[in-house]
Amino acid sequence: MRPGRHAPDDALLLKMLHSMKLTRALEYRIERKLYRQGKIVGGVYVGRGQEAISVGAAMHIRRGGGEDYDDIVSPSHRDMAVFLMQGVPPERILAQYMGRGAGLTRGRDGNMHMGDLRHRLVAFISHLGDSIPVAAGCALAFTMRGTDQVSFCFFGEGATSRGDWHEGLNFAAVRKLPVIFICNNNQYAYSTHVSKQMRVERVSDRAAGYGIPGESADGNDLLAVYDGVGRAVRRARGGEGPSLLEFVTFRMTGHSAHDDAGYVPKAEFEEWERKDPIERFQDALSRRRLVDAGAIKEMEARIESELDEAVAWAERQRYPEPEECLIGVYHEEGPRPGGGPEGERRAWR
Ligand SMILES: Cc1ncc(C[n+]2csc(CCOP(=O)(O)OP(=O)(O)O)c2C)c(N)n1
Ligand SMILES: [Mg+2]
C-alpha cells in the first residue's frame, strides 16, 4: 500500500475498512447462507475479493447536496459496496434478494438488477455494456445544465468487448463528458479467461482508441484505487472529460452462487487469497496503529449483529401483490395502484 497523493484521513480510512467488511459480510450471508437455505429468489453474483474497487471509488461520489450537486452512479453486479455507500440500508438489499415488496424493485426482481434514483443509483440490468451509453447520457445532461456533477460507471473486463461499451466510450470522449469508466478486471467473464476475449494487454490500452486517458492499477490495493479515481474525478469536474480506469483483481468465488469455478486453477485461488484486499488494508491500518485485533473483532461483531437484525427484518416483509408489478412501469400522475404516493412512500421505509 502506498499513500495516495490526496491521502484520506484516519476517519476515512476506518470508514473504508468498515465498508469493505460490511460488504463482504452481507454478501457472505446472501451467497453462502440464505441462498443455500433456499431463501433467495433468483441468482446471486457477489464481488468477493473486489471490495477495494467499489469502496475506493465510491468514496469519491458526491452526495447529500440535491439534484444539481449529487453525482450519479451505474454500478455493476459486483458492486454491493456502492449500494451501501449510497445509503441503501442492508435490510432493503436483503429484501430485494428475497423478492419482498420492500426490496428496491419492490419484489419484481430478486438480485443485483436493481437501482434507485433517490440514491442516485441507475439500475443495473442484465445486459452487459448497456449502462455505458446511459452513464454517458447522464454526463451529457450535466454538461448541458452547466453543473460540475460526475457520472460513475462500473463494469467488468468482459463488458469491454461489447459494442455498446465502445459506442458509449466514444460518445463520452468526443463530447468530453464527465464520466469515470471503472473496470474491474477480475480476469474472467463467467468461465472465459481475459486472454480469450481481447488481444490488448490491458483494458486501459483501449482508451487510446478514443483519445482519452487510460490507467491500470492494482485493484486489491484500496489506496491505489482511491488515488486513481480521485485524480480522474478532479479531471472530470474540471471539464477535462472522461477517463478509463482499469483495476486488476480476482473474483474470489464462482461467477454466481451455482458455479463452483472448477475451470479456475486452484493455484490461482490460493495466490489471490494471499492478496485479499481486506486483509491487506487491515494489516496496513494495524501497522499504522489505527486498529488492533480487539477493535477489528468488535467491528466484525457489530456488523454481524446488524446483519442478524437486517435479515430478520427482511424476512418479516411481505411479498408483493400481483397487481403491484404495474407500479412504475409507465409514468403516471396522481394516485397509483398499490396505495398511491403514500403507499409508494411506505414501501421505501
Ligand atoms: C450481453 C450479455 N452477454 C452475456 C451475458 C451473461 N453474462 C452475465 S455476467 C457475464 C460475465 C461478465 O463478465 P465481466 O464483464 O468480466 O464481469 P464480471 O462478472 O467478471 O464482473 C456474462 C457472460 C449478459 N448478461 N449480457
Ligand atoms: Mg470479469
Side-chain angles (χ1 to χ4, degrees), residues 23-35:
T23 302
R24 179 152 317 171
L26 176 56
E27 290 194 329
Y28 185 87
R29 293 263 179 150
I30 293 168
E31 185 193 30
R32 308 280 165 101
K33 292 195 168 172
L34 297 164
Y35 180 82

Side-chain angles (χ1 to χ4, degrees), residues 186-188 190-196 250-254 259-274:
N186 61 14
Q187 303 168 63
Y188 285 88
Y190 204 144
S191 55
T192 304
H193 189 257
V194 62
S195 58
K196 296 207 171 93
F250 187 69
R251 196 187 67 202
M252 282 169 62
T253 185
D259 171 31
D260 68 2
Y263 47 84
V264 179
K266 207 164 158 265
E268 248 182 86
F269 268 110
E270 287 164 2
E271 181 196 333
W272 285 89
E273 200 78 46
R274 287 193 293 276

